[in-house]
Amino acid sequence: MPTTRSDEKTAAKEELAAEALAQLQEALRAAAILLPSLRLDLASPKLGLVVLGAVNAETARLLALAVREGSRATRP
């Protein structure tokens, strides 16, 4: 069966999502943060979604701190 333009767009979104997932996993690992449910959303491949999942309060706090510190580092 020939590949359609829609199939190509879906594949591109899946690839972008997989790359984003890998980058996020690496950054979280460097910050010693574990998101146990972090994964690609295989139920919606056309959307290219990354599922962050639920975390406990301590992990949410650590994530907030890491994001805050990162945003400070990028400001002039």
Side-chain angles (χ1 to χ4, degrees):
M1 180 154 67
T3 303
T4 67
R5 188 167 180 86
S6 177
D7 292 338
E8 290 173 1
K9 285 183 179 181
T10 297
K13 285 187 179 183
E14 287 177 313
E15 186 175 332
L16 284 174
E19 290 172 8
L21 175 63
Q23 291 173 3
L24 182 55
Q25 287 172 321
E26 182 181 325
L28 290 169
R29 199 170 14 261
I33 297 172
L34 174 65
L35 298 183
S37 300
L38 184 62
R39 60 182 165 73
L40 293 178
D41 181 0
L42 301 178
S44 307
K46 291 182 179 183
L47 299 176
L49 301 177
V50 175
V51 177
L52 302 179
V55 298
N56 63 32
E58 179 62 15
T59 301
R61 188 187 68 75
L62 291 172
L63 186 56
L65 287 170
V67 170
R68 196 172 296 120
E69 288 175 12
S71 68
R72 285 187 194 127
T74 59
R75 290 186 197 156

